[in-house]
Amino acid sequence: MIDKRECVFRGNEKQVYATSDPHMVIFRYTDVTIAYNNIKRARFRGKGALDNRISALLLDYLNGNGVETHYVKTVGPDEQLCRKIEIIPLQVVVHNRIAGSLAVRLGVDDGFRPANTVVDLRYNNDELEDPFINRDHAVALGLATYQELDGMYDIARKANDLLKELFHRAGIELVDMKIEFGRASDNGEIIISDEISPDTCRLWDEKSGERLDKDRFRLDLGDVTESYRTVLERLESVLEIDEE
Ligand code: C5P
């Protein structure tokens, strides 16, 4: 039995609690959502629980398919038990299509389909507004070695391949996705940390092109929780079919 202890990180969208096991934490997803580096902010009742369930399902799917993540098990409607990690303040963003800020940066239409898969690196730093950096910058800042960065890129591509296929079976296109990593406190292994959910991915309905992710909030499209619920229900039905 693992007991929940004091809060060790209090963010807007998430809180992290220590536990009686020094190598485990409890992640709690809140109903608060923020965008544009905290300029836009709102609360959607039930969104934390949806993020918790979607993220649990996706991280568990990766764990079961050879991609190690921090997720261990769900312990409450909005809480999950996770391996404790030392944060690596990098965001690895995988783009199957070019959308959002990258489309603006490259001067292409939102939704442009590149021939390759594009992987970007950002420095997770609120004060600097998460700037795009390259591998040399990450090494210069002492955030990771070149070898570790190679490993993170490989994991990100593998996770993208697995999740792109899973979402496709649910009639959803994985347009892009942000992944974060950490060093597991028990063995130092670099594993996927944080969440993977409609807050951190662009997810477009394959038939209608409708956005089913945080862009509904960013772009004031409405139906935020309804869209997240659609994502959850479709993923659950695909995974239930697998279990039969
Ligand atoms: O904002 P941008 O277009 O660069 O986002 C690319 C992808 O990374 C999107 O799926 C977005 O949801 C995700 N992202 C994120 N957290 C950030 C920035 C982007 O999850 N701080």
Side-chain angles (χ1 to χ4, degrees):
M1 173 75 187
I2 294 180
D3 293 323
K4 187 171 163 187
R5 299 264 164 92
E6 76 282 3
C7 182
V8 291
F9 170 79
R10 194 173 289 279
N12 289 298
E13 296 173 308
K14 254 161 289 174
Q15 291 153 2
V16 182
Y17 294 84
T19 71
S20 48
D21 182 329
H23 296 301
M24 296 283 171
V25 293
I26 287 176
F27 245 61
R28 177 168 175 269
Y29 291 79
T30 74
D31 287 344
V32 173
T33 190
I34 55 168
Y36 308 121
N37 210 15
N38 215 355
I39 289 172
K40 198 172 158 108
R41 184 188 171 94
R43 183 185 292 270
F44 297 98
R45 188 193 288 265
K47 183 177 165 298
L50 285 165
D51 280 329
N52 185 43
R53 287 174 68 185
I54 298 170
S55 197
L57 189 151
L58 296 174
L59 294 172
D60 192 46
Y61 183 75
L62 291 177
N63 282 339
N65 285 279
V67 175
E68 283 294 308
T69 81
H70 71 159
Y71 175 77
V72 178
K73 65 176 180 180
T74 295
V75 291
D78 52 7
E79 289 184 335
Q80 48 189 250
L81 184 70
C82 294
R83 288 170 73 184
K84 186 177 174 186
I85 51 106
E86 177 206 329
I87 292 173
I88 300 174
L90 291 171
Q91 302 175 352
V92 179
V93 190
V94 187
H95 304 262
N96 298 306
R97 289 208 206 197
I98 309 291
S101 73
L102 187 59
V104 174
R105 197 154 57 103
L106 299 184
V108 297
D109 288 341
D110 200 71
F112 174 84
R113 290 176 194 270
N116 55 344
T117 304
V118 176
V119 183
D120 249 326
L121 193 62
R122 296 177 87 144
Y123 180 23
N124 204 349
N125 183 313
D126 284 348
E127 260 175 54
L128 300 177
E129 299 186 6
D130 303 340
F132 287 99
I133 60 169
N134 65 32
R135 290 156 46 89
D136 292 338
H137 299 156
V139 174
L141 291 171
L143 304 179
T145 64
Y146 286 109
Q147 204 184 359
E148 286 175 334
L149 286 163
D150 284 343
M152 287 187 246
Y153 271 56
D154 284 348
I155 296 169
R157 284 179 186 277
K158 188 164 180 206
N160 178 58
D161 288 346
L162 285 163
L163 296 184
K164 193 167 65 170
E165 198 262 338
L166 177 67
F167 277 117
H168 173 59
R169 283 160 56 207
I172 295 170
E173 183 177 346
L174 176 60
V175 170
D176 60 26
M177 157 173 75
K178 182 223 33 169
I179 294 181
E180 294 188 23
F181 292 91
R183 292 183 180 84
S185 74
D186 50 358
N187 63 5
E189 185 189 9
I190 292 188
I191 58 175
I192 291 182
S193 62
D194 204 49
E195 71 183 297
I196 301 184
S197 76
D199 275 359
T200 61
C201 299
R202 282 200 170 84
L203 301 168
W204 294 358
D205 182 277
E206 282 184 356
K207 282 211 182 93
S208 65
E210 196 185 359
R211 291 166 193 257
L212 301 171
D213 56 68
K214 198 175 188 174
D215 274 351
R216 299 214 69 84
F217 168 62
R218 292 190 190 99
L219 307 174
D220 293 320
L221 301 174
D223 291 340
V224 177
T225 45
E226 290 78 359
S227 302
Y228 283 40
R229 191 164 295 116
T230 298
V231 171
L232 176 64
E233 287 172 359
R234 290 211 212 161
L235 286 172
E236 279 177 343
S237 78
V238 164
L239 291 168
E240 270 162 28
I241 293 166
D242 283 355
E243 277 171 21
E244 275 171 12

